[in-house]
Amino acid sequence: MKKFIYRFLIFFLLVILIDQGLGYLIKILYNRTNDYSISKLRYSLNEANEDIIILGSSRAHHHYNSNIIKSVTGHSAYNAGFGGQGLQFSFIQLTEILKRHKPKLIIVDVSSNILLDKESNQKLSILNPFYSESFQIKQSLVHRSLINKIKFLSSIYPYNSQLFDIMRGTIHTKLDSLNGFQPLFGRMDTIGLSDKLTKGYSKKDIFNMNLSQFSDINDLCKRNDIKLYFIISPVYYQNRIMKDLNDTICNYIKELNYPKVFDYSDFQQISGDNKFFTDNLHMNNLGAESFSTKISEEILKNEL
């Protein structure tokens, strides 16, 4: 029996040593990899120091050309948008940025489809590598779950889902010359669009949106005396239900008093013209150029 216990303890110790050793090595590779998404996340959390920071989901990522905004306004800009991520992710990004830098303006792109995504919080796993570096991130990832806390005892666990990206980024380099902005190319196919929208939204969705996180972001900016814009960027076409969703969002934000809210979902220069879109929710490079110029003019008009 003693022999068994002794062997078990030796095995357990070896597992811990291997886990800690491999975790340390992977962490070094993670901090050095040139994978686009990983390097963008590292930069947005630990280095971004621009005057204007854009937050949001894929619609933020693909709709705001940082270089155009900088050229028109004269203020440096960085697009920190990430596909599939909701307001909680944006709040975490902003919290981390404010630990070392105070932007002049925060732009949060608002997407009703993301507010309706019940799995958006699960997508926070891309923050796993930063678990031990931030109390805010730690709290968001464990969700008061003992099982999640136990998982993070492993040094390898935070990188499990990103090992391929880490290794790919050590071989291939993709430089970010657009300050976080990633243009889309091509023209959308509008066949059957009306049916897709009808199936994709319902009136009950208006009551299922979690709007409280708008208040969290607003309060954080207000305490730090940072200008805040909530912007609904253009879509190709919105039906009545999508319009009601956007109206509900805008009315809620207006009640917060402090931030400015701009609803460009039906932007006449772009909406309804498929040469500016790759799908109903995402503009291509041409749409992003036109929209970014418009937003830049809005920034100048409001005297940043």
Side-chain angles (χ1 to χ4, degrees):
M1 184 66 178
K2 288 183 178 179
K3 197 172 185 180
F4 172 78
I5 294 175
Y6 177 74
R7 287 179 176 176
F8 176 79
L9 290 175
I10 292 294
F11 173 76
F12 186 69
L13 181 60
L14 284 174
V15 169
I16 293 176
L17 289 174
I18 291 172
D19 176 82
Q20 295 296 311
L22 285 177
Y24 179 76
L25 175 61
I26 297 172
K27 182 177 182 179
I28 292 175
L29 293 175
Y30 181 90
N31 289 326
R32 293 180 178 177
T33 184
N34 291 312
D35 175 78
Y36 179 80
S37 293
I38 293 176
S39 59
K40 179 177 179 177
L41 182 59
R42 287 198 318 253
Y43 183 83
S44 70
L45 295 177
N46 298 329
E47 299 178 56
N49 60 357
E50 287 77 12
D51 296 331
I52 302 170
I53 303 290
I54 298 105
L55 304 173
S57 62
S58 59
R59 280 166 46 79
H61 190 190
H62 302 307
H63 290 182
Y64 298 80
N65 188 318
S66 308
N67 290 345
I68 288 178
I69 293 174
K70 178 182 178 180
S71 175
V72 175
T73 68
H75 293 280
S76 57
Y78 185 75
N79 187 325
F82 270 85
Q85 297 296 339
L87 288 176
Q88 185 177 4
F89 182 82
S90 296
F91 178 77
I92 291 171
Q93 283 180 300
L94 181 56
T95 300
E96 295 303 303
I97 289 170
L98 289 177
K99 288 180 179 178
R100 53 183 169 69
H101 172 61
K102 179 180 173 180
K104 294 180 179 179
L105 171 65
I106 294 294
I107 294 175
V108 179
D109 185 88
V110 180
S111 301
S112 58
N113 63 305
I114 294 296
L115 289 171
L116 297 171
D117 183 2
K118 297 179 180 179
E119 299 180 356
S120 63
N121 288 344
Q122 298 175 19
K123 297 173 183 176
L124 292 175
S125 60
I126 67 169
L127 293 169
N128 283 356
F130 301 89
Y131 174 82
S132 60
E133 299 178 18
S134 165
F135 176 79
Q136 179 70 44
I137 293 176
K138 181 180 292 187
Q139 291 295 101
S140 300
L141 292 175
V142 297
H143 300 297
R144 299 178 181 176
S145 167
L146 179 60
I147 294 178
N148 286 341
K149 290 181 180 179
I150 293 173
K151 289 179 180 178
F152 278 104
L153 291 176
S154 167
S155 294
I156 298 175
Y157 172 75
Y159 307 97
N160 278 348
S161 62
Q162 301 184 57
L163 290 175
F164 176 76
D165 295 332
I166 292 172
M167 298 309 299
R168 179 182 59 189
T170 62
I171 301 171
H172 302 287
T173 301
K174 182 180 179 181
L175 297 177
D176 181 6
S177 60
L178 299 176
N179 292 310
F181 166 67
Q182 187 174 61
L184 296 176
F185 298 93
R187 178 182 294 206
M188 73 175 291
D189 181 2
T190 60
I191 298 176
L193 178 62
S194 181
D195 291 337
K196 292 178 182 177
L197 280 178
T198 301
K199 294 177 181 178
Y201 295 90
S202 67
K203 288 187 177 181
K204 67 179 181 180
D205 289 332
I206 296 175
F207 304 102
N208 292 335
M209 291 189 296
N210 179 12
L211 302 179
S212 62
Q213 290 174 335
F214 285 114
S215 301
D216 296 335
I217 294 174
N218 174 58
D219 291 343
L220 190 55
C221 287
K222 192 172 183 179
R223 286 198 304 270
N224 288 275
D225 194 27
I226 299 171
K227 286 191 174 183
L228 172 62
Y229 293 176
F230 286 113
I231 299 177
I232 303 177
S233 53
V235 298
Y236 172 76
Y237 167 77
Q238 60 176 343
N239 61 9
R240 183 69 253 175
I241 296 174
M242 186 186 290
K243 179 69 166 57
D244 289 343
L245 284 167
N246 288 333
D247 288 345
T248 300
I249 292 168
C250 289
N251 289 334
Y252 180 88
I253 294 173
K254 287 175 182 177
E255 291 178 359
L256 299 176
N257 294 323
Y258 182 75
K260 291 183 178 294
V261 56
F262 302 92
D263 184 0
Y264 284 104
S265 54
D266 187 16
F267 185 34
Q268 291 185 353
Q269 296 179 25
I270 294 174
S271 297
D273 190 338
N274 70 334
K275 77 177 181 183
F276 292 115
F277 291 85
T278 58
D279 60 46
N280 191 57
L281 296 176
H282 297 94
M283 290 183 288
N284 59 23
N285 62 313
L286 296 177
E289 288 175 7
S290 179
F291 179 64
S292 297
T293 300
K294 176 63 178 178
I295 291 303
S296 300
E297 293 169 352
E298 198 69 60
I299 293 171
L300 286 177
K301 187 167 66 176
N302 284 275
E303 299 181 355
L304 176 59

